[in-house]
Every structure is written in C-alpha cells, then in structure tokens.
Amino acid sequence: MEVIKSIDDIEVKGKRVLVRVDFNSPIDPMTGKIQDDTRIRRHAKTIQNLVERGAKVIVMAHQGRPGDADFTSLEQHAEVLGKVLGRPVQFVNSIFDEAARDKISELNDGDILVLENTRFYSEEVIERPVEEQAKTEMVQKLAPLLDAYVNDAFSAAHRSQPSLVGFIPVLPSAIGYVMKDELDALMKVAGSSAQKPCVYVLGGAKPEDTLKVIEYVLEQNIADSVLASGIMGNLFLLAKGFDIGDSYRDFLSEKGYLKVMEKAKDVLNRFESRIVLPEDLAIGENGTRVEVSLNELPLSALPCDIGKKTIEKFSQVINNAKTIVCNGSPGQYEKETFAVGTKEVFSAIAESTNKGAFSVAGGGHTIAGLNKYNLLNKISFVSTSGKAMLLLLMGEYKKLVVLEAFKAYGQS
C-alpha cells in the first residue's frame, strides 16, 4: 500500500480538490435526522487539513440506497460538518449540473462545498470497470473544473462506482487520512507482522464471510487462535456433532446458513486446536435467561448469547493476547437479558488493550455494542468499515477496487 500517495504527498494550495468521503450515517426514520455523526467527524480531519493548506474543497458522498428510508439529501450532513469544523460549509442540491459547476468555479481558497448525495445520480449505483466509470457524465462534467482528487472512503473501497474510481485515471489522486489510518491499522493485524499471540474474536450473523476470515488467518498463521461465537460458533458446534436443537437447525436452514456446514467441518478438522468454541449457551425461558452447557443439549429454544463458562474461557485467551481483532458480537446485546456475553467479552478486549495489546474492531453492530458500554475509546483502532475490513482480513485485496485503481492509475 506504500505506493499509494496520501494528501501529504500532493500540492493543494489554490487547487480545487474533490474529496470523496463516506458520510453515510444512521438516520432516525421518524425525524429524518442524523442519529450518529461519527463518520462525519472522522472525515473532518482530512477536510480540515486541505482547508488549512489553502485548497478549495469540494466534498462528495452518498447516503443510503434508492428506495430505502435513509436515502436522503446531504444538506444536514453539510450543516453537521460545519459545526464539527467550526467554519462555514456551503451546500448545493445538485452534483454536476450547471448550478453545481458554477458553485465550484466560484470557490475561494479555504472554502468548502458539499455536493448532493451521489446516489441521486442513477449511474452511481452501477458497478463497472474503472475505465468505463471515467467516461461517465459525472466525471466528464466535473473533472475539467478540478485539480486533484482525494478518496477518503475506505468503507466503500470495494465498490467500483463513478465517484469512487472514475476520477482516479483522469486527475492527480491521493488517499485521505481516514483511508490511510484504516490501511495502516488493518495491515498491522492482517499480515504476519501482527504481534503474537494474535487473537481473532468473531461473532455476529454473517457466517459465510466469517468462515473465510477464519480459514485465511489460520492458514496464513496470522492468528494464533479464533474465538468463535454467534451463528458461526454455533455452526461449528453442529459441525462437531452437538445437537443444538431442531428449532435452531430449522432457523439456520431458513436463513441459508447450513450451506456452509461442509466448509465449516473442513476448517474445524484442520484447525480445531486453534478454534475456541462456546462451552455453554444462553436461551430465554419465560422471560428468564437460562444457561445450558454442552452436555445438556439439545436446547429448548434458540441460543441468544454465550454462557458464563464461555465468557471466562474467552476472557482468559483475550487477556494473554498482544493483538486482538474483533468483528461481530457474541450475542443479542440489544436485549439486556442476552447482553452479558457482549459486555464481558468487549470489556476483556478493552482491559487487554489498556495493558498494552493492540486491538482493532469493526462492523456496525460491533461499534454499536462498544458504544453502548462506553468502550469505543478503549480500543486501539475502530474501523469505519464492515465489508471492506472483512475483505482485507480475508486476504482478498484485489476486491478493494479503489485501492487497485490507485495502484494502476493514481500516480499522476
């Protein structure tokens, strides 16, 4: 990744610089207001740097998807950015029409202009090769007005869309601080340079992706051990021959998760000594949390959390780790009855970090869980990304098409 230029490597004074960020934020469905401005605050560092160096900054971002409740204008995002930076931020409710182009042409050094939601433009949601995206109307209309392009949207680095890759072949290009920080932190844990012992704490409800990560980090000897919980942990228990119950098997079948069973068996057979599985599970009976050990299976209800024995076992491994990667929660922490596993495991990661371990956490639910227990600032690095982070951890670097475009074209 060292071949990719950052904003520190390009001259921006007096230049019109287009900055592609990821302002995509949770929107309250009742009020239409931004519920969490974390991503806007993260990207403010890049924008502030460009402004202080005398650039004319044009900000481009998306919000939601067409048809979804959070598919809305970026006008309030511009207002939030202005409050974060403590300076005026202009907004134009178009992307590349005459009004937008006039606004760009009128900018003075240090000015900031936020363009409208890129996904209001129909071609933005179509993924095509970089060369074709460079020929789209958006790029062709805006590029002649611009002097440089900065991509700071790591969380969208796997999408080959016009605003993300189309400007890279036609403008001097660089990555911003969010992108750089993400790559620096994730490469520390994704490669063999990770300080040992290296532990991956993987839960959540995406077993197909999680299984790919587990196989990769164990095959490459990146991770010394994997703590598997959530649906992936339960699938491993099934693969090992434990009968979790007919109702849970039906649930897995309905969700299409059983299709990874054969792969789970293969990975478990090859790396069983390094995969740490739950020793007990928590279910709900008449509104009460009941913990069931493996020798008491099958379960009478769906598992919603790990039990105390598992929490203790996981915490011991985490306590001895020097590098920790966390993606996904151990249980349904949204319900207080089943929040025990998430709270205790995440707290163990925070404690280990405080003692000197390097920890990385990513994914929307992971971040929400850390935030719920005021642990967000006790993790070494919190990634803004879910999918892009997983792709990097899986070793599937070439699917991060934005980075591939930079390596191919971004050295103008």
Side-chain angles (χ1 to χ4, degrees), residues 4 11 29 33 57-58 69 71 73 79 88 108 124 128 144 179 190 321 327 341 365 377 380:
I4 300 175
E11 177 57 50
K33 299 296 184 182
V57 181
I58 303 98
F71 185 55
S73 170
E79 293 174 4
N108 296 311
E124 175 68 1
R128 291 180 292 201
M179 179 82 81
N327 183 266
H365 289 290
N377 294 327
S380 304

PDB file of all heavy atoms in Angstrom, residues 4 11 29 33 57-58 69 71 73 79 88 108 124 128 144 179 190 321 327 341 365 377 380:
ATOM      1  N   ILE A   4       0.770   4.033  -2.788  1.00  0.00           N
ATOM      2  CA  ILE A   4      -0.358   4.940  -2.957  1.00  0.00           C
ATOM      3  C   ILE A   4      -0.070   6.260  -2.254  1.00  0.00           C
ATOM      4  O   ILE A   4       0.266   6.285  -1.072  1.00  0.00           O
ATOM      5  CB  ILE A   4      -1.654   4.316  -2.407  1.00  0.00           C
ATOM      6  CG1 ILE A   4      -1.967   3.012  -3.150  1.00  0.00           C
ATOM      7  CG2 ILE A   4      -2.821   5.280  -2.534  1.00  0.00           C
ATOM      8  CD1 ILE A   4      -3.164   2.267  -2.607  1.00  0.00           C
ATOM      9  N   GLU A  11       0.423  18.736  -3.747  1.00  0.00           N
ATOM     10  CA  GLU A  11       0.307  20.180  -3.551  1.00  0.00           C
ATOM     11  C   GLU A  11      -1.161  20.584  -3.733  1.00  0.00           C
ATOM     12  O   GLU A  11      -1.780  20.237  -4.738  1.00  0.00           O
ATOM     13  CB  GLU A  11       1.173  20.927  -4.568  1.00  0.00           C
ATOM     14  CG  GLU A  11       1.063  22.434  -4.495  1.00  0.00           C
ATOM     15  CD  GLU A  11       1.407  22.971  -3.116  1.00  0.00           C
ATOM     16  OE1 GLU A  11       2.467  22.592  -2.572  1.00  0.00           O
ATOM     17  OE2 GLU A  11       0.608  23.770  -2.597  1.00  0.00           O
ATOM     18  N   PRO A  29     -35.734   7.216  11.453  1.00  0.00           N
ATOM     19  CA  PRO A  29     -36.840   7.077  10.497  1.00  0.00           C
ATOM     20  C   PRO A  29     -38.028   7.979  10.804  1.00  0.00           C
ATOM     21  O   PRO A  29     -38.828   8.282   9.908  1.00  0.00           O
ATOM     22  CB  PRO A  29     -37.228   5.591  10.621  1.00  0.00           C
ATOM     23  CG  PRO A  29     -36.746   5.177  11.970  1.00  0.00           C
ATOM     24  CD  PRO A  29     -35.505   5.983  12.221  1.00  0.00           C
ATOM     25  N   LYS A  33     -33.523  12.831  10.936  1.00  0.00           N
ATOM     26  CA  LYS A  33     -32.292  13.458  11.391  1.00  0.00           C
ATOM     27  C   LYS A  33     -31.168  12.436  11.567  1.00  0.00           C
ATOM     28  O   LYS A  33     -31.418  11.264  11.849  1.00  0.00           O
ATOM     29  CB  LYS A  33     -32.525  14.183  12.721  1.00  0.00           C
ATOM     30  CG  LYS A  33     -33.553  15.307  12.653  1.00  0.00           C
ATOM     31  CD  LYS A  33     -33.098  16.421  11.739  1.00  0.00           C
ATOM     32  CE  LYS A  33     -34.083  17.582  11.749  1.00  0.00           C
ATOM     33  NZ  LYS A  33     -33.665  18.659  10.808  1.00  0.00           N
ATOM     34  N   VAL A  57     -12.135  23.085  -1.365  1.00  0.00           N
ATOM     35  CA  VAL A  57     -12.538  21.700  -1.121  1.00  0.00           C
ATOM     36  C   VAL A  57     -13.975  21.446  -1.555  1.00  0.00           C
ATOM     37  O   VAL A  57     -14.905  22.124  -1.111  1.00  0.00           O
ATOM     38  CB  VAL A  57     -12.380  21.349   0.372  1.00  0.00           C
ATOM     39  CG1 VAL A  57     -12.783  19.900   0.618  1.00  0.00           C
ATOM     40  CG2 VAL A  57     -10.938  21.587   0.821  1.00  0.00           C
ATOM     41  N   ILE A  58     -14.131  20.451  -2.420  1.00  0.00           N
ATOM     42  CA  ILE A  58     -15.457  20.012  -2.862  1.00  0.00           C
ATOM     43  C   ILE A  58     -15.668  18.610  -2.295  1.00  0.00           C
ATOM     44  O   ILE A  58     -14.885  17.693  -2.574  1.00  0.00           O
ATOM     45  CB  ILE A  58     -15.562  19.984  -4.406  1.00  0.00           C
ATOM     46  CG1 ILE A  58     -15.240  21.368  -4.986  1.00  0.00           C
ATOM     47  CG2 ILE A  58     -16.944  19.519  -4.832  1.00  0.00           C
ATOM     48  CD1 ILE A  58     -13.820  21.515  -5.469  1.00  0.00           C
ATOM     49  N   ALA A  69     -35.295   3.945   3.522  1.00  0.00           N
ATOM     50  CA  ALA A  69     -35.771   5.052   4.359  1.00  0.00           C
ATOM     51  C   ALA A  69     -34.684   6.087   4.616  1.00  0.00           C
ATOM     52  O   ALA A  69     -34.985   7.264   4.851  1.00  0.00           O
ATOM     53  CB  ALA A  69     -36.299   4.502   5.684  1.00  0.00           C
ATOM     54  N   PHE A  71     -32.416   7.076   2.491  1.00  0.00           N
ATOM     55  CA  PHE A  71     -31.958   7.664   1.227  1.00  0.00           C
ATOM     56  C   PHE A  71     -32.419   9.113   1.199  1.00  0.00           C
ATOM     57  O   PHE A  71     -33.582   9.405   0.908  1.00  0.00           O
ATOM     58  CB  PHE A  71     -32.540   6.873   0.049  1.00  0.00           C
ATOM     59  CG  PHE A  71     -32.047   7.314  -1.308  1.00  0.00           C
ATOM     60  CD1 PHE A  71     -30.692   7.367  -1.587  1.00  0.00           C
ATOM     61  CD2 PHE A  71     -32.945   7.652  -2.313  1.00  0.00           C
ATOM     62  CE1 PHE A  71     -30.231   7.757  -2.842  1.00  0.00           C
ATOM     63  CE2 PHE A  71     -32.497   8.031  -3.567  1.00  0.00           C
ATOM     64  CZ  PHE A  71     -31.138   8.085  -3.830  1.00  0.00           C
ATOM     65  N   SER A  73     -31.114  13.650   1.301  1.00  0.00           N
ATOM     66  CA  SER A  73     -30.180  14.697   0.915  1.00  0.00           C
ATOM     67  C   SER A  73     -29.018  14.810   1.899  1.00  0.00           C
ATOM     68  O   SER A  73     -29.114  14.407   3.061  1.00  0.00           O
ATOM     69  CB  SER A  73     -30.928  16.037   0.861  1.00  0.00           C
ATOM     70  OG  SER A  73     -30.034  17.118   0.722  1.00  0.00           O
ATOM     71  N   GLU A  79     -24.411  20.733   7.255  1.00  0.00           N
ATOM     72  CA  GLU A  79     -24.586  21.525   8.474  1.00  0.00           C
ATOM     73  C   GLU A  79     -23.773  20.933   9.626  1.00  0.00           C
ATOM     74  O   GLU A  79     -23.113  21.664  10.378  1.00  0.00           O
ATOM     75  CB  GLU A  79     -26.067  21.578   8.858  1.00  0.00           C
ATOM     76  CG  GLU A  79     -26.936  22.348   7.860  1.00  0.00           C
ATOM     77  CD  GLU A  79     -28.410  22.254   8.201  1.00  0.00           C
ATOM     78  OE1 GLU A  79     -28.744  21.664   9.255  1.00  0.00           O
ATOM     79  OE2 GLU A  79     -29.228  22.752   7.410  1.00  0.00           O
ATOM     80  N   PRO A  88     -17.800  27.968   8.039  1.00  0.00           N
ATOM     81  CA  PRO A  88     -18.895  27.855   7.064  1.00  0.00           C
ATOM     82  C   PRO A  88     -18.675  26.708   6.077  1.00  0.00           C
ATOM     83  O   PRO A  88     -17.555  26.485   5.616  1.00  0.00           O
ATOM     84  CB  PRO A  88     -18.869  29.205   6.344  1.00  0.00           C
ATOM     85  CG  PRO A  88     -18.137  30.126   7.259  1.00  0.00           C
ATOM     86  CD  PRO A  88     -17.122  29.277   7.966  1.00  0.00           C
ATOM     87  N   ASN A 108     -13.334  30.113  -3.268  1.00  0.00           N
ATOM     88  CA  ASN A 108     -12.077  30.759  -2.920  1.00  0.00           C
ATOM     89  C   ASN A 108     -11.226  29.787  -2.110  1.00  0.00           C
ATOM     90  O   ASN A 108     -11.729  28.779  -1.598  1.00  0.00           O
ATOM     91  CB  ASN A 108     -12.333  32.024  -2.097  1.00  0.00           C
ATOM     92  CG  ASN A 108     -13.086  33.075  -2.890  1.00  0.00           C
ATOM     93  OD1 ASN A 108     -12.712  33.382  -4.021  1.00  0.00           O
ATOM     94  ND2 ASN A 108     -14.121  33.645  -2.296  1.00  0.00           N
ATOM     95  N   GLU A 124     -24.459   6.139 -10.513  1.00  0.00           N
ATOM     96  CA  GLU A 124     -23.594   5.937  -9.350  1.00  0.00           C
ATOM     97  C   GLU A 124     -23.757   4.551  -8.753  1.00  0.00           C
ATOM     98  O   GLU A 124     -22.819   4.010  -8.158  1.00  0.00           O
ATOM     99  CB  GLU A 124     -23.883   7.008  -8.287  1.00  0.00           C
ATOM    100  CG  GLU A 124     -23.124   6.846  -6.982  1.00  0.00           C
ATOM    101  CD  GLU A 124     -21.620   7.078  -7.081  1.00  0.00           C
ATOM    102  OE1 GLU A 124     -21.123   7.390  -8.194  1.00  0.00           O
ATOM    103  OE2 GLU A 124     -20.933   6.949  -6.058  1.00  0.00           O
ATOM    104  N   ARG A 128     -18.954  -0.854 -12.640  1.00  0.00           N
ATOM    105  CA  ARG A 128     -18.332  -1.182 -13.925  1.00  0.00           C
ATOM    106  C   ARG A 128     -16.828  -1.015 -13.807  1.00  0.00           C
ATOM    107  O   ARG A 128     -16.336  -0.463 -12.820  1.00  0.00           O
ATOM    108  CB  ARG A 128     -18.884  -0.251 -15.018  1.00  0.00           C
ATOM    109  CG  ARG A 128     -20.332  -0.495 -15.375  1.00  0.00           C
ATOM    110  CD  ARG A 128     -20.819   0.453 -16.451  1.00  0.00           C
ATOM    111  NE  ARG A 128     -20.891   1.828 -15.989  1.00  0.00           N
ATOM    112  CZ  ARG A 128     -21.641   2.767 -16.563  1.00  0.00           C
ATOM    113  NH1 ARG A 128     -22.378   2.466 -17.616  1.00  0.00           N
ATOM    114  NH2 ARG A 128     -21.654   3.993 -16.095  1.00  0.00           N
ATOM    115  N   PRO A 144     -12.923  18.592 -15.612  1.00  0.00           N
ATOM    116  CA  PRO A 144     -12.259  19.789 -16.154  1.00  0.00           C
ATOM    117  C   PRO A 144     -12.178  20.953 -15.166  1.00  0.00           C
ATOM    118  O   PRO A 144     -11.344  21.858 -15.338  1.00  0.00           O
ATOM    119  CB  PRO A 144     -13.134  20.153 -17.360  1.00  0.00           C
ATOM    120  CG  PRO A 144     -13.783  18.873 -17.759  1.00  0.00           C
ATOM    121  CD  PRO A 144     -14.049  18.165 -16.469  1.00  0.00           C
ATOM    122  N   MET A 179      -8.716   6.873   5.135  1.00  0.00           N
ATOM    123  CA  MET A 179      -8.260   5.741   4.334  1.00  0.00           C
ATOM    124  C   MET A 179      -6.869   5.283   4.796  1.00  0.00           C
ATOM    125  O   MET A 179      -6.613   4.086   4.975  1.00  0.00           O
ATOM    126  CB  MET A 179      -8.228   6.129   2.861  1.00  0.00           C
ATOM    127  CG  MET A 179      -7.751   5.035   1.920  1.00  0.00           C
ATOM    128  SD  MET A 179      -9.022   3.836   1.477  1.00  0.00           S
ATOM    129  CE  MET A 179      -9.902   4.725   0.190  1.00  0.00           C
ATOM    130  N   ALA A 190      -3.613  -7.805   9.692  1.00  0.00           N
ATOM    131  CA  ALA A 190      -3.932  -8.722   8.598  1.00  0.00           C
ATOM    132  C   ALA A 190      -2.711  -9.511   8.140  1.00  0.00           C
ATOM    133  O   ALA A 190      -2.839 -10.581   7.573  1.00  0.00           O
ATOM    134  CB  ALA A 190      -4.524  -7.951   7.415  1.00  0.00           C
ATOM    135  N   ALA A 321      -3.454 -11.984  25.032  1.00  0.00           N
ATOM    136  CA  ALA A 321      -3.179 -11.591  23.649  1.00  0.00           C
ATOM    137  C   ALA A 321      -2.377 -10.300  23.559  1.00  0.00           C
ATOM    138  O   ALA A 321      -2.470  -9.421  24.412  1.00  0.00           O
ATOM    139  CB  ALA A 321      -4.489 -11.438  22.890  1.00  0.00           C
ATOM    140  N   ASN A 327     -14.752  -8.623  15.318  1.00  0.00           N
ATOM    141  CA  ASN A 327     -15.807  -8.311  14.357  1.00  0.00           C
ATOM    142  C   ASN A 327     -17.030  -9.153  14.699  1.00  0.00           C
ATOM    143  O   ASN A 327     -16.984 -10.379  14.647  1.00  0.00           O
ATOM    144  CB  ASN A 327     -15.346  -8.598  12.923  1.00  0.00           C
ATOM    145  CG  ASN A 327     -16.402  -8.209  11.903  1.00  0.00           C
ATOM    146  OD1 ASN A 327     -17.203  -9.039  11.487  1.00  0.00           O
ATOM    147  ND2 ASN A 327     -16.408  -6.961  11.496  1.00  0.00           N
ATOM    148  N   GLY A 341     -22.754 -11.619  27.402  1.00  0.00           N
ATOM    149  CA  GLY A 341     -21.577 -12.061  26.648  1.00  0.00           C
ATOM    150  C   GLY A 341     -20.878 -10.913  25.945  1.00  0.00           C
ATOM    151  O   GLY A 341     -19.649 -10.776  26.021  1.00  0.00           O
ATOM    152  N   HIS A 365     -22.508  -3.419  14.032  1.00  0.00           N
ATOM    153  CA  HIS A 365     -23.011  -3.935  15.304  1.00  0.00           C
ATOM    154  C   HIS A 365     -21.909  -3.972  16.366  1.00  0.00           C
ATOM    155  O   HIS A 365     -22.176  -3.758  17.555  1.00  0.00           O
ATOM    156  CB  HIS A 365     -23.617  -5.323  15.112  1.00  0.00           C
ATOM    157  CG  HIS A 365     -24.919  -5.297  14.353  1.00  0.00           C
ATOM    158  ND1 HIS A 365     -26.065  -4.784  14.891  1.00  0.00           N
ATOM    159  CD2 HIS A 365     -25.230  -5.710  13.105  1.00  0.00           C
ATOM    160  CE1 HIS A 365     -27.055  -4.885  14.003  1.00  0.00           C
ATOM    161  NE2 HIS A 365     -26.558  -5.429  12.906  1.00  0.00           N
ATOM    162  N   ASN A 377     -13.671   4.228  23.002  1.00  0.00           N
ATOM    163  CA  ASN A 377     -12.391   4.911  23.109  1.00  0.00           C
ATOM    164  C   ASN A 377     -11.321   4.080  23.815  1.00  0.00           C
ATOM    165  O   ASN A 377     -10.205   4.552  24.030  1.00  0.00           O
ATOM    166  CB  ASN A 377     -12.571   6.241  23.853  1.00  0.00           C
ATOM    167  CG  ASN A 377     -13.426   7.218  23.071  1.00  0.00           C
ATOM    168  OD1 ASN A 377     -13.398   7.227  21.845  1.00  0.00           O
ATOM    169  ND2 ASN A 377     -14.192   8.039  23.769  1.00  0.00           N
ATOM    170  N   SER A 380      -7.828   0.224  20.457  1.00  0.00           N
ATOM    171  CA  SER A 380      -6.731   0.907  19.759  1.00  0.00           C
ATOM    172  C   SER A 380      -7.195   1.557  18.463  1.00  0.00           C
ATOM    173  O   SER A 380      -6.863   2.711  18.176  1.00  0.00           O
ATOM    174  CB  SER A 380      -5.600  -0.083  19.450  1.00  0.00           C
ATOM    175  OG  SER A 380      -5.147  -0.721  20.616  1.00  0.00           O
TER     176      SER A 380
END
